[in-house]
Short mmCIF file of all heavy atoms in Angstrom, two decimals:
data_model
loop_
_atom_site.label_atom_id
_atom_site.label_comp_id
_atom_site.label_asym_id
_atom_site.label_seq_id
_atom_site.Cartn_x
_atom_site.Cartn_y
_atom_site.Cartn_z
N PHE A 59 -29.55 24.00 20.68
CA PHE A 59 -28.74 24.49 21.79
C PHE A 59 -28.00 23.36 22.49
O PHE A 59 -26.95 23.59 23.10
CB PHE A 59 -29.61 25.30 22.76
CG PHE A 59 -29.76 26.72 22.33
CD1 PHE A 59 -30.74 27.08 21.41
CD2 PHE A 59 -28.89 27.71 22.78
CE1 PHE A 59 -30.85 28.38 20.95
CE2 PHE A 59 -29.00 29.01 22.35
CZ PHE A 59 -29.98 29.36 21.43
N ARG A 60 -28.51 22.15 22.39
CA ARG A 60 -27.74 21.01 22.91
C ARG A 60 -26.44 20.86 22.12
O ARG A 60 -25.38 20.60 22.70
CB ARG A 60 -28.57 19.73 22.82
CG ARG A 60 -27.84 18.50 23.40
CD ARG A 60 -28.75 17.28 23.47
NE ARG A 60 -29.23 16.89 22.15
CZ ARG A 60 -30.47 17.05 21.71
NH1 ARG A 60 -31.38 17.61 22.48
NH2 ARG A 60 -30.82 16.65 20.49
N LEU A 89 -19.02 34.17 32.04
CA LEU A 89 -20.44 33.98 31.75
C LEU A 89 -21.11 33.07 32.77
O LEU A 89 -22.24 33.30 33.19
CB LEU A 89 -20.60 33.39 30.35
CG LEU A 89 -20.28 34.33 29.19
CD1 LEU A 89 -20.19 33.55 27.89
CD2 LEU A 89 -21.32 35.42 29.07
N THR A 154 -32.76 16.35 9.94
CA THR A 154 -32.87 15.06 10.62
C THR A 154 -34.32 14.73 10.91
O THR A 154 -34.78 13.59 10.72
CB THR A 154 -32.06 15.06 11.93
OG1 THR A 154 -30.68 15.31 11.63
CG2 THR A 154 -32.18 13.72 12.64
N GLY A 158 -36.79 11.73 9.05
CA GLY A 158 -37.36 10.69 9.90
C GLY A 158 -38.87 10.63 9.88
O GLY A 158 -39.47 9.83 10.62
N ILE A 179 -31.76 30.86 0.98
CA ILE A 179 -32.20 32.25 0.87
C ILE A 179 -31.72 33.05 2.08
O ILE A 179 -31.20 34.17 1.95
CB ILE A 179 -33.75 32.33 0.77
CG1 ILE A 179 -34.23 31.77 -0.57
CG2 ILE A 179 -34.24 33.76 0.99
CD1 ILE A 179 -33.94 32.64 -1.77
N PHE A 183 -28.99 36.25 2.19
CA PHE A 183 -29.20 37.57 2.77
C PHE A 183 -28.14 37.89 3.84
O PHE A 183 -27.74 39.05 3.99
CB PHE A 183 -30.61 37.69 3.35
CG PHE A 183 -31.66 37.99 2.32
CD1 PHE A 183 -32.84 37.25 2.27
CD2 PHE A 183 -31.50 39.00 1.40
CE1 PHE A 183 -33.82 37.51 1.32
CE2 PHE A 183 -32.47 39.28 0.45
CZ PHE A 183 -33.64 38.54 0.41
N ARG A 188 -23.29 41.08 4.99
CA ARG A 188 -21.87 41.14 5.31
C ARG A 188 -21.09 41.90 4.24
O ARG A 188 -20.21 42.71 4.55
CB ARG A 188 -21.30 39.72 5.44
CG ARG A 188 -21.70 38.98 6.70
CD ARG A 188 -21.21 37.54 6.66
NE ARG A 188 -21.54 36.81 7.88
CZ ARG A 188 -21.45 35.50 8.00
NH1 ARG A 188 -21.05 34.76 6.96
NH2 ARG A 188 -21.77 34.90 9.13
N GLY A 194 -19.19 49.22 2.88
CA GLY A 194 -19.30 50.49 3.60
C GLY A 194 -18.06 50.81 4.37
O GLY A 194 -17.59 51.96 4.41
#
Side-chain angles (χ1 to χ4, degrees):
F59 276 84
R60 182 172 61 252
L89 289 168
T154 300
I179 291 288
F183 279 131
R188 286 174 178 167

